[in-house]
């Protein structure tokens, strides 16, 4: 059986190799996606040098925050309901899943009341799968412009979840599309926008995503093994 230590080594190695092949050669931030796993595995990857974890449910993220406090950075990577923003907006390093007007409004309101700016990525549904959240590519520019009106939100880039397929060509085309969209928006030169992050790539496809310009990957099962959802 492989240990987390072995998995981490392998992932770091593959990430670095993919980065060297990538179109931009940028440093890649790895977010350890810890959903369904117990706190011990988080301690393990933390001991191995990881500083960022991701959860796709607010209540799970909050539980981790209670245990690990300021020793980790917390990423909200899943669909976010507006009524749950209040539990996390002032504690997360990044919300990856800003994808609709009502959510932007709520995040901005919370930020304004606390006099903070909440860092967010806009989630794009690049493959237009019905089951996935995210704005469609053709709606992205107008959504970005809408978000810029909210002074207590800081848009720091884009996020996507590619479909779970083996077709490398197709995956690559989705990632390329994301990279282009991020460039187009960055070039528009909106003052408040830095578009620093492109969060894409999961266990199934992170090497391809990095090759195509991802600088933030969200990796779960390649680090921790298969998830057991019955534990939730
Ligand atoms: C679960 C999840 C991941 C990680 O998935 P793996 O395939 O286990 O690497 C990444 N991003 C999001 C949004 C997720 O929900």
């Amino acid at each position: 059986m492989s240990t987390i230590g072995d998995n981490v080594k392998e992932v770091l190695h593959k990430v670095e190799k993919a980065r060297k092949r990538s179109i931009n050669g940028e440093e890649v931030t790895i977010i350890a996606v810890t959903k369904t796993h117990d706190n011990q595995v988080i301690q393990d990857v933390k001991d191995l040098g990881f500083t960022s974890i991701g959860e796709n449910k607010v209540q799970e993220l909050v539980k981790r925050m209670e245990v690990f406090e300021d020793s980790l950075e917390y990423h909200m990577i899943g669909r976010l309901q507006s009524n749950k923003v209040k539990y996390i907006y002032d504690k997360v390093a990044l919300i990856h899943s800003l994808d609709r007007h009502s959510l932007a409004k709520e995040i901005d309101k919370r930020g304004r009341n606390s006099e903070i700016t909440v860092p967010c990525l806009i989630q794009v549904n690049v493959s237009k799968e019905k089951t996935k959240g995210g704005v469609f590519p053709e709606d992205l520019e107008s959504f970005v412009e809408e978000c810029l009106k909210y002074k207590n939100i800081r848009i720091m880039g884009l996020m996507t979840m590619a479909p779970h397929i083996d077709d490398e060509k197709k995956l690559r085309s989705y990632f390329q599309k994301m990279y282009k969209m991020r460039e187009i928006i960055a070039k528009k030169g909106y003052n408040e926008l830095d578009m620093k992050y492109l969060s894409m790539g999961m266990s199934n496809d992170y090497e391809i995503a990095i090759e195509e310009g991802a600088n933030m990957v969200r990796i779960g099962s390649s680090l921790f093994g298969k998830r057991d959802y019955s534990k939730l």
Side-chain angles (χ1 to χ4, degrees), residues 34-39 41 60 63-64 224 226-232:
T34 51
K35 63 192 185 202
T36 75
H37 295 288
D38 52 34
N39 286 330
V41 304
E60 299 303 313
K63 276 192 216 159
R64 308 299 194 189
F224 306 121
K226 279 212 177 78
R227 281 181 289 273
D228 179 2
Y229 283 100
S230 66
K231 281 200 214 153
L232 278 187

Side-chain angles (χ1 to χ4, degrees), residues 98-99 121-126 134-148 155 157-160 177-186 188 190 193 195 198:
L98 174 55
D99 66 351
L121 304 180
I122 294 177
Q123 183 174 353
V124 181
N125 188 348
V126 69
V135 298
F136 285 166
E138 64 267 31
D139 300 326
L140 179 61
E141 281 191 48
S142 63
F143 187 64
V144 168
E145 283 175 15
E146 216 171 82
C147 287
L148 288 172
I155 303 295
L158 304 177
M159 177 274 218
T160 199
K177 189 163 182 180
M178 290 295 297
Y179 189 83
K180 270 198 205 114
M181 287 191 287
R182 173 206 181 207
E183 270 203 319
I184 288 168
I185 294 167
K188 288 199 152 205
Y190 299 113
L193 214 69
M195 297 306 276
L198 190 52

Side-chain angles (χ1 to χ4, degrees), residues 31-35 37 54-57 76-79 96-97 123 159-161 164 199 201-206 217-227 229:
I31 296 166
V33 177
T34 51
K35 63 192 185 202
H37 295 288
E55 289 282 342
N56 67 339
K57 293 203 167 74
M76 178 60 203
I77 61 173
R79 197 166 178 81
H96 291 232
S97 45
Q123 183 174 353
M159 177 274 218
T160 199
M161 279 176 94
H164 201 83
S199 168
M202 310 175 19
S203 293
N204 183 49
D205 55 18
Y206 68 91
V217 291
R218 311 174 307 267
I219 301 180
S221 34
S222 289
L223 292 173
F224 306 121
K226 279 212 177 78
R227 281 181 289 273
Y229 283 100

Side-chain angles (χ1 to χ4, degrees), residues 85 95 98 103-111 118 120 153:
V85 168
I95 292 171
L98 174 55
L103 180 59
K105 205 169 157 181
E106 173 66 16
I107 295 172
D108 182 66
K109 187 183 93 185
R110 294 283 168 186
V118 184
C120 296
I153 291 179

